Amino acid sequence: MKKLLVIGLVLTGLLGAFAAQAEDGYDMWLRYQPLEDTTVAKDYRKQLQTLVATGDSILIDSAAEELQRGVQGLLGKPLKSSDKLARRGSVVIGTPETSELIAGLEWGERLARQGPEGFVLETTRIGRRHVTVIASEGERGVLYGAFHLLRLMQTQQAIDDLAIASAPKVEHRVVNHWDNLNRLVERGYAGLSLWEWGKLPEYNENPRYKDYARINASLGINGTAINNVNADPRILTDQFLEKVAALNEVFRAYGIKTYLSINYDSPRAFGDLETSDPLDPEVQQWWKDRVAKVYEHVPDLGGFLVKADSEGQPGPQGYGRNHAEGANILAEALEPYGGVVFWRAFVYSPEQGDRFREAYDEFMPLDGKFKDNVILQIKNGPIDFQPREPFSPLFGSLEDTNIMMELQVTQEYFGFSNHLAYQGPLFEEVLDADTHAKGEGSTVGKILGGEVFEYEQTGMAGVINPGTDRNWTGHPFVQSSWYAFGRLAWDYELSSEAIAEEWMRMTFTNDRRFLDPIGEVMAMSREAGVNYRSPLGLTHLYAQGHHYGPAPWYDEAERMDWTAWYYHRADEEGIGFDRTESGSNAVEQYQKPVRERFANLEQIDEDYLLWFHHVGWEHEMNSGRTLWEELALKYHKGVEQVRQMQAEWEDVKGLIDEERYVHVKALLEVQLRDAIRWRDSCLAYFQSLNGLPLPEGVPEPEHSLEHYKRLEHTFYIPDPWHPKSDDRTLDY
Ligand code: BDP
């Protein structure tokens, strides 16, 4: 009996130890697993023995708690907490206000240079003692500095002679959730919304909330817009505001401000007024009163995010007013509380000849008309988060309007949470794009940082859409794009490659045998996605509604509708959207050097060719091949790249935990299936138009075009947000 008990205990112990090591992706990049390199760990232990964190501040408490958690995990032993320096190995954290030791360093000017969110992380002397200092003008900066130190350790960098000063390059670093109040997440592919509205406000201790805040804070993200831009007016009711306040309570401890997406028609939807016309004094008063209520509940709310006059959302134009008039009344109501309005520039009206032109044509005439606490939130490209877009011409054109860029982390157009498609290279591509607004070097990044035009406020937003899936994002590698967004929002000059390496080290392992091949996989994954979907500047060939599978075909009757024809203009003769002078002339929206390059068939980078030109199928490409051959080869290359990704993944077996290894491996199979379908559907369709043979090396599509057309409606699970896609599956 006794023996059995002992065996039982040993078994439970073993299982316990095993369970502790099981990796389900929940911890993201904050795993703090014991360091693989024991020499490094030994060095770290010397520097990190005692933590001196004084002062009364929830943010510094969070920083201290995180350092303890990290050091405990990485080194196996927590720091001693003390309010005095130890003989050696002290870490002193704080601001000159919270810490006398830091005040005593007299770093006022240095800290001021980094600002309240920046920090100095330095190995220095206090008296005769060597110490590690994390200091900032503001408490947020201390928190970010703590995460920075932990990142150095997780990636096994030396920490015995630190001299780091860092500050974010844009002010508002905000994640956006497209979460509905019924907990369905629009374009979210990882479960239900994280926000348990039914249990709030009473229960805000769900550990997910705090972990979510830690994940964001570790990147320096300082804002979250928690509900869908297609906004439910109920978010502004007292009942929901109480719930929002309970969430905000958790986020506040990590320096994250809460923002709410509001419905522009709220005054009417509440049943209070007959109109929501922004120039009606009663409407203006309504917003002032409602905003006062909002701040009673959430005194430090960041402000509102607004999608107006877009895709059926109400807005000022419904009342004959423009976007500036619409935004300014909200800005006025928020101003006394320091709140801001993120006003989205994602607009296009169906009667427009070229959707590309729309945002620019609508917003340029309003430049300089928005209040200072309005920031225009502009998607990276002129259409809609496509695998490759030229940068939006609004970047570099709006001189007197605060702007921020909106990027998409959730893979709406990149295979949802089924495909591996690290978005870092896409983000980097747009940030590095040169607008030439004030001569060469006026990159989108610099514009966003307010270095080209003097904006009052700057920012970057990322649509993230995590859900209740254990690993938050569905595909483990979608985490990497969230990470990349946050890091680039902090510093748009970082390289996507370096970011990928950091992420892999923290998320998987520091083992070079993993980092090198999988770094390559990450680097190629976005381009692979472009190649098997829409190479050479093709765009939006998606099945209507769910945006997962291919549907390049169109019905004659639907030509001008938002079907694929609208975007690719393919026929017997050729393919591509003419946006030069002979077409929609959207190129005119760019500064001269950019315009000239895009407009010139000889000079344009072929990756953008069909964005701007309609060319014959036999148009000669730089390679000497015809467009058709090149296109077919690109499609095929995309498939081959997925095969290469699979092969690399095979090779890292055993270098990381089995659980995530197997998960990614399985998803790569799905990705290969889909890549082949994309290639074959598109090639079969285009071939039905041009009648040309496929070039050597590209296999014939396995099925008939009719087969692929039928798949359009059964290719992906019905999307709950698009009930119509559900109905249509019944046809087959
Ligand atoms: C499109 C999405 C749609 C969003 C819209 C937006 O398909 O679900 O509501 O963007 O950004 O890409 O408002």
Side-chain angles (χ1 to χ4, degrees):
M1 190 64 202
K2 232 182 182 173
K3 220 174 175 182
L4 265 183
L5 190 70
V6 172
I7 295 175
L9 280 176
V10 170
L11 265 181
T12 333
L14 277 179
L15 282 177
F18 186 71
Q21 283 182 12
E23 296 251 7
D24 54 21
Y26 179 86
D27 293 330
M28 305 271 265
W29 48 86
L30 302 179
R31 288 158 62 242
Y32 306 135
Q33 291 295 305
L35 281 171
E36 296 143 299
D37 187 333
T38 45
T39 354
V40 175
K42 216 161 123 206
D43 284 348
Y44 289 174
R45 274 190 207 103
K46 278 194 221 141
Q47 317 297 325
L48 308 173
Q49 296 182 18
T50 298
L51 178 62
V52 189
T54 51
D56 185 17
S57 151
I58 45 164
L59 287 164
I60 291 177
D61 289 351
S62 297
E65 188 185 308
E66 194 70 27
L67 283 170
Q68 288 294 14
R69 181 201 284 254
V71 169
Q72 164 78 59
L74 291 159
L75 305 180
K77 204 171 120 210
L79 295 139
K80 244 190 297 134
S81 286
S82 167
D83 47 17
K84 284 203 271 328
L85 290 182
R87 282 252 299 282
R88 54 179 79 87
S90 295
V91 185
V92 183
I93 71 170
T95 70
E97 279 76 45
T98 65
S99 160
E100 275 177 27
L101 288 169
I102 286 174
L105 287 168
E106 298 187 356
W107 282 359
E109 231 172 81
R110 294 182 63 192
L111 298 185
R113 242 176 282 139
Q114 305 309 320
E117 292 193 306
F119 56 85
V120 172
L121 169 54
E122 201 163 290
T123 316
T124 185
R125 262 170 193 281
I126 296 186
R128 294 214 316 264
R129 301 197 166 140
H130 271 285
V131 293
T132 306
V133 174
I134 303 174
S136 171
E137 240 191 358
E139 294 157 22
R140 271 210 189 115
V142 178
L143 180 63
Y144 299 150
F147 276 113
H148 193 98
L149 177 61
L150 288 165
R151 182 183 311 127
L152 294 176
M153 295 168 67
Q154 288 168 282
T155 55
Q156 302 192 349
Q157 313 297 307
I159 61 161
D160 57 349
D161 191 16
L162 296 168
I164 295 171
S166 182
K169 291 205 166 99
V170 302
E171 187 183 340
H172 301 287
R173 303 174 301 280
V174 186
V175 287
N176 289 186
H177 294 258
W178 290 351
D179 292 18
N180 295 319
L181 302 188
N182 64 4
R183 298 192 69 199
L184 289 181
V185 182
E186 182 162 334
R187 314 303 184 186
Y189 315 101
L192 291 178
S193 168
L194 297 171
W195 324 130
E196 298 181 319
W197 295 115
K199 296 187 182 126
L200 290 163
E202 284 78 8
Y203 176 62
N204 71 350
E205 288 93 7
N206 180 340
R208 284 242 174 188
Y209 298 153
K210 179 167 165 177
D211 290 332
Y212 163 85
R214 292 174 48 236
I215 288 162
N216 281 319
S218 74
L219 303 171
I221 284 166
N222 62 6
T224 177
I226 58 176
N227 61 316
N228 194 352
V229 287
N230 298 313
D232 189 323
R234 285 177 300 168
I235 195 72
L236 289 182
T237 59
D238 289 343
Q239 200 197 359
F240 267 96
L241 290 172
E242 277 179 24
K243 299 169 191 287
V244 172
L247 286 177
N248 183 58
E249 194 80 0
V250 183
F251 304 158
R252 180 188 291 134
Y254 288 87
I256 296 168
K257 286 199 172 212
T258 306
Y259 295 81
L260 299 176
S261 295
I262 60 102
N263 182 301
Y264 205 78
D265 227 2
S266 295
R268 245 160 44 104
F270 270 62
D272 293 341
L273 299 175
E274 307 259 286
T275 174
S276 299
D277 177 357
L279 296 196
D280 184 318
E282 278 192 312
V283 171
Q284 294 171 5
Q285 192 55 47
W286 188 92
W287 280 110
K288 285 188 178 139
D289 295 344
R290 203 40 10 214
V291 165
K293 260 278 180 270
V294 171
Y295 279 87
E296 261 174 43
H297 288 284
V298 192
D300 50 356
L301 189 93
F304 293 159
L305 169 61
V306 193
K307 172 176 178 177
D309 293 313
S310 163
E311 300 187 328
Q313 291 303 305
Q317 291 178 342
Y319 301 95
R321 316 298 181 191
N322 66 37
H323 285 284
E325 290 165 327
N328 288 344
I329 61 144
L330 298 179
E332 222 167 277
L334 289 163
E335 201 173 7
Y337 310 93
V340 300
V341 180
F342 299 140
W343 189 268
R344 295 177 86 231
F346 178 66
V347 295
Y348 59 99
S349 43
E351 50 298 345
Q352 258 273 350
D354 183 1
R355 178 176 170 184
F356 187 117
R357 297 190 58 111
E358 183 86 352
Y360 182 100
D361 286 347
E362 262 188 50
F363 283 95
M364 276 311 286
L366 301 176
D367 192 17
K369 304 233 159 71
F370 291 90
K371 285 182 66 86
D372 281 351
N373 60 331
V374 178
I375 305 156
L376 268 196
Q377 186 167 311
I378 307 164
K379 288 190 184 183
N380 58 283
I383 300 276
D384 191 7
F385 296 142
Q386 295 302 296
R388 170 166 283 118
E389 294 198 37
F391 67 87
S392 161
L394 282 170
F395 300 120
S397 300
L398 288 165
E399 295 193 24
D400 297 315
T401 305
N402 302 319
I403 58 165
M404 61 200 276
M405 178 157 70
E406 181 179 306
L407 295 166
Q408 196 178 43
V409 167
T410 189
Q411 293 178 190
E412 173 178 359
Y413 294 100
F414 263 102
F416 297 3
S417 51
N418 295 351
H419 293 194
L420 195 165
Y422 169 52
Q423 301 292 298
L426 187 160
F427 302 163
E428 183 178 34
E429 186 172 286
V430 60
L431 288 165
D432 288 351
D434 196 345
T435 68
H436 286 265
K438 280 202 182 162
E440 212 179 315
S442 313
T443 61
V444 171
K446 289 206 170 113
I447 302 256
L448 293 174
E451 290 173 47
V452 178
F453 306 122
E454 280 177 30
Y455 298 137
E456 297 285 329
Q457 315 212 25
T458 58
M460 270 169 72
V463 180
I464 57 168
N465 299 6
T468 49
D469 273 17
R470 182 66 193 159
N471 72 4
W472 306 83
T473 55
H475 197 302
F477 276 76
V478 174
Q479 296 180 359
S480 66
S481 304
W482 184 345
Y483 186 85
F485 163 72
R487 296 288 286 136
L488 287 166
W490 183 273
D491 182 356
Y492 53 77
E493 279 175 349
L494 295 174
S495 84
S496 66
E497 197 185 325
I499 294 173
E501 169 138 344
E502 257 177 33
W503 176 79
M504 286 186 291
R505 283 173 177 269
M506 296 162 80
T507 307
F508 287 107
T509 172
N510 281 289
D511 191 333
R512 279 249 74 91
R513 291 170 304 163
F514 180 88
L515 299 174
D516 290 336
I518 305 311
E520 243 182 80
V521 165
M522 290 178 75
M524 78 164 84
S525 61
R526 181 271 185 141
E527 203 61 36
V530 172
N531 287 338
Y532 62 71
R533 287 191 185 83
S534 44
L536 298 179
L538 280 177
T539 201
H540 222 307
L541 309 182
Y542 296 87
Q544 288 261 41
H546 62 60
H547 295 168
Y548 186 77
W553 36 79
Y554 62 92
D555 293 332
E556 281 297 323
E558 285 181 327
R559 268 206 170 193
M560 278 313 289
D561 212 354
W562 302 111
T563 57
W565 182 83
Y566 180 86
Y567 299 100
H568 62 54
R569 310 272 153 145
D571 57 22
E572 295 70 18
E573 308 299 321
I575 183 167
F577 200 128
D578 183 2
R579 294 192 163 98
T580 66
E581 269 181 35
S582 50
S584 77
N585 204 17
V587 284
E588 72 177 342
Q589 299 179 334
Y590 289 102
Q591 307 292 334
K592 197 158 169 253
V594 182
R595 181 197 319 154
E596 286 176 350
R597 217 182 45 244
F598 282 149
N600 186 325
L601 255 182
E602 308 294 307
Q603 283 175 21
I604 189 168
D605 176 343
E606 287 180 350
D607 284 340
Y608 296 94
L609 180 67
L610 304 177
W611 266 103
F612 294 102
H613 297 273
H614 185 81
V615 295
W617 289 109
E618 312 221 43
H619 168 79
E620 188 182 331
M621 302 291 283
N622 292 336
S623 62
R625 286 189 279 267
T626 67
L627 170 82
W628 168 240
E629 290 166 339
E630 191 85 11
L631 193 71
L633 286 165
K634 285 268 185 195
Y635 269 108
H636 184 53
K637 182 168 181 195
V639 172
E640 291 298 303
Q641 284 171 311
V642 177
R643 291 210 169 96
Q644 196 185 333
M645 283 156 60
Q646 281 185 306
E648 305 279 10
W649 194 256
E650 286 290 334
D651 281 353
V652 298
K653 185 171 168 55
L655 298 178
I656 60 165
D657 56 287
E658 188 68 3
E659 199 173 345
R660 289 182 298 169
Y661 176 78
V662 169
H663 189 192
V664 172
K665 184 172 146 77
L667 290 172
L668 282 167
E669 275 171 39
V670 175
Q671 185 165 359
L672 180 65
R673 173 202 72 192
D674 295 349
I676 293 172
R677 275 186 201 172
W678 266 95
R679 178 195 66 193
D680 290 356
S681 302
C682 294
L683 292 182
Y685 173 65
F686 292 138
Q687 204 174 22
S688 77
L689 298 177
N690 65 26
L692 293 166
L694 286 168
E696 209 182 314
V698 180
E700 291 296 326
E702 203 181 316
H703 301 284
S704 69
L705 179 57
E706 287 320 304
H707 172 87
Y708 293 119
K709 281 191 180 174
R710 270 198 306 276
L711 282 179
E712 176 180 350
H713 306 302
T714 51
F715 193 34
Y716 189 67
I717 48 153
D719 180 343
W721 192 70
H722 279 286
K724 278 215 180 106
S725 66
D726 205 3
D727 297 346
R728 291 205 288 183
T729 54
L730 299 176
D731 296 346
Y732 293 91

